């Protein structure tokens, strides 16, 4: 069992957070009903709220972001078509190929080095409209970009991309697992981005501190198709009002804390950015990506573990540290110091 003390030093992900006592109390109070019959009032309240905040017609609660992303694909395109997404995107790398095995799509890489899809590069690989060629089915963008280091999708890039996908008549889906982070970091509304996509997925279990849950928002037509698809995948849930209550609590009380995560991430970056034996990506939100000079990510992670700090090696030469609401100032200072120390001992 993880304790609050454990997660206070755990930088592996912002998913490791534990519900606070007050969040648990809010969960205990939740009104519930059978959500497969659409009768859970707390789930309905959450879905209405997310639809309103994203400016979408409707939304649907999911157990995971992966399932919501998959359903977004299945609801908006058909097997045999192509998925265009970032070469380092979550949908491509961390969802076990469900776009292929379950949605029946093939995947086309688009460079996403800076966290957004390069429109010129996308146009270069875009399949021509010829009946004997495999046709585009959907485009997926990620905001913030996880592996890129929590990078925020520039709105102007999204506008240009959406103009292109609209011309082509292909839906644009946003994997917005951390869209709230982008909104808080730039002091903008969710709709700043969501008005330029057909559907969006947001997670309440990433940094906001709810134990579980993601929401897919889109047009009424998309969400009506998504409902039976969620059931098909085993995601039809019953009395889950307690989980929706945790999500609502997180939005009311934890959203403001994201700014603190961003500040702490900046501070650690500030301490380590000039170290010659590593290259840290300047963070825009709560994810710090550190590239080591040689393939020694495992060594750095082990060094930090010895000092009671958990981080994640996401490639042989890349370490990720993610900032969340259960961390302490002490943990962040210790992380910065320990990274500096590693260089001297290695
Ligand atoms: C975490 C994450 C998801 C969804 O993950 P689940 O663990 O299935 O909830 C999707 N996209 C991004 C960018 C993520 O970081």
């Amino acid at each position: 069992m993880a304790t609050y003390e454990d997660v206070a030093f755990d930088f592996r992900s912002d998913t490791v957070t534990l519900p606070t006592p007050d969040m648990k109390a809010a969960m205990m109070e939740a009104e519930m009903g059978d959500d497969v019959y659409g009768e859970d009032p707390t789930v309905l309240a959450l879905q209405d709220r997310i639809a309103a905040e994203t400016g979408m017609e409707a939304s649907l609660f999911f157990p995971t972001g992966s399932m919501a992303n998959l359903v977004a694909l299945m609801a908006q395109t058909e097997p045999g078509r192509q998925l265009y997404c970032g070469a380092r995107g979550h949908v491509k790398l961390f969802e076990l190929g469900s776009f292929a095995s379950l949605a029946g799509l093939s995947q086309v890489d688009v460079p996403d080095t800076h966290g957004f899809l390069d429109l010129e590069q996308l146009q270069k690989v875009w399949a021509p409209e010829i009946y004997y060629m495999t046709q585009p089915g959907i485009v997926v963008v990620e905001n913030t970009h996880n592996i890129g280091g929590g990078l925020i999708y520039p709105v102007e890039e999204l506008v240009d991309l959406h103009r292109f996908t609209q011309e082509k008549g292909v839906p644009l889906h946003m994997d917005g697992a951390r869209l709230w982070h982008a909104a808080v970091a730039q002091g903008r509304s969710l709709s700043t981005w969501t008005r330029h996509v057909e559907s969006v997925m947001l997670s309440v279990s990433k940094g906001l501190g709810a134990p579980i849950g993601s929401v897919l928002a889109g047009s009424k037509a998309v969400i009506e198709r998504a409902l039976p698809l969620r059931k098909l995948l085993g995601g039809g849930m019953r009395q889950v009002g307690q989980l929706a209550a945790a999500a609502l609590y997180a939005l009311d009380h934890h959203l403001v804390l994201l700014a603190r995560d961003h500040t702490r991430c900046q501070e650690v970056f500030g301490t380590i950015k000039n170290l010659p034996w590593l290259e840290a990506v300047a963070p825009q939100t709560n994810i710090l990506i550190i590239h080591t000079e040689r393939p020694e990510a495992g060594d750095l992670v082990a060094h930090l573990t010895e000092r009671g700090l958990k981080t994640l090696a996401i490639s042989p030469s890349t370490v990720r540290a993610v900032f969340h609401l259960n961390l302490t100032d002490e943990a962040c200072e210790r992380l910065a110091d320990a990274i500096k120390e590693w260089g001297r001992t290695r």
Side-chain angles (χ1 to χ4, degrees):
M1 193 188 81
T3 64
Y4 291 118
E5 178 65 13
D6 293 333
V7 295
F9 295 88
D10 194 339
F11 293 85
R12 285 172 304 167
S13 175
D14 45 12
T15 56
V16 300
T17 55
L18 289 172
T20 61
D22 286 346
M23 178 182 277
K24 285 185 194 169
M27 293 170 75
M28 292 304 288
E29 306 261 291
E31 286 181 44
M32 291 180 278
D34 191 332
D35 186 52
V36 170
Y37 297 127
E39 292 171 3
D40 189 302
T42 315
V43 170
L44 296 176
L46 174 66
Q47 290 176 170
D48 285 348
R49 177 159 172 182
I50 302 286
E53 287 187 11
T54 54
M56 295 289 192
E57 285 175 355
S59 90
L60 193 63
F61 188 47
F62 280 79
T64 67
S66 299
M67 190 191 281
N69 275 339
L70 172 60
V71 164
L73 305 182
M74 295 171 83
Q76 297 182 89
T77 184
E78 53 195 31
R81 291 191 179 251
Q82 293 169 322
L83 156 70
Y84 288 77
C85 72
R88 302 176 308 157
H90 195 279
V91 170
K92 178 194 171 188
L93 296 177
F94 298 99
E95 298 184 10
L96 279 57
S98 61
F99 63 82
S101 60
L102 299 171
L105 305 174
S106 53
Q107 187 263 342
V108 182
D109 264 357
V110 186
D112 57 354
T113 315
H114 304 292
F116 56 87
L117 301 194
D118 185 320
L119 181 55
E120 254 177 52
Q121 298 293 325
L122 175 69
Q123 286 169 322
K124 270 190 199 155
V125 292
W126 194 261
E129 224 179 306
I130 303 176
Y131 87 92
Y132 52 78
M133 288 188 75
T134 312
Q135 290 299 300
I138 191 162
V139 178
V140 174
V141 293
E142 193 170 310
N143 189 21
T144 66
H145 197 288
N146 183 339
I147 300 304
L151 301 180
I152 299 170
Y153 214 100
V155 180
E156 321 76 62
E157 297 287 342
L158 189 62
V159 169
D160 289 347
L161 179 67
H162 194 221
R163 191 175 302 124
F164 174 76
T165 57
Q166 278 183 312
E167 267 168 31
K168 299 293 180 187
V170 170
L172 178 57
H173 171 68
M174 177 170 281
D175 173 348
R178 295 185 185 79
L179 183 57
W180 276 296
H181 292 78
V184 167
Q186 298 198 335
R188 296 166 123 165
S189 65
L190 297 181
S191 62
T192 306
W193 292 273
T194 55
R195 58 206 284 216
H196 304 297
V197 296
E198 274 63 53
S199 60
V200 59
M201 183 281 281
L202 304 103
S203 296
V204 289
S205 57
K206 299 269 173 81
L208 284 179
I212 182 174
S214 292
V215 178
L216 176 66
S219 67
K220 247 192 198 132
V222 166
I223 298 304
E224 271 168 18
R225 283 198 294 278
L227 184 65
L229 289 166
R230 183 185 66 172
K231 189 78 174 75
L232 174 76
L233 298 174
M237 301 181 287
R238 301 291 179 176
Q239 287 75 7
V240 284
Q242 286 195 335
L243 304 181
L248 288 165
Y249 181 90
L251 291 176
D252 286 337
H253 298 93
H254 293 170
L255 196 55
V256 292
L257 298 179
L258 296 184
R260 185 181 66 180
D261 298 341
H262 300 165
T263 307
R264 284 172 163 173
C265 188
Q266 276 296 344
E267 283 170 1
V268 175
F269 170 73
T271 310
I272 66 165
K273 68 179 179 194
N274 293 326
L275 299 177
W277 52 82
L278 53 83
E279 192 192 329
V281 180
Q284 295 176 5
T285 52
N286 71 324
I287 301 178
L288 184 58
I289 295 284
I290 301 166
H291 300 293
T292 54
E293 211 174 15
R294 299 193 290 268
E296 48 199 357
D299 191 56
L300 174 54
V301 169
H303 171 85
L304 298 173
T305 305
E306 276 170 28
R307 277 141 196 86
L309 301 159
K310 291 183 185 167
T311 52
L312 209 60
I314 57 168
S315 90
S317 58
T318 313
V319 175
R320 190 184 74 167
V322 188
F323 293 73
H324 57 75
L325 80 164
N326 287 152
L327 297 171
T328 56
D329 284 331
E330 187 201 337
C332 298
E333 283 161 26
R334 206 194 287 177
L335 178 68
D337 289 345
I339 294 171
K340 272 199 285 188
E341 188 190 55
W342 173 70
R344 291 194 290 270
T345 61
R346 98 195 214 282

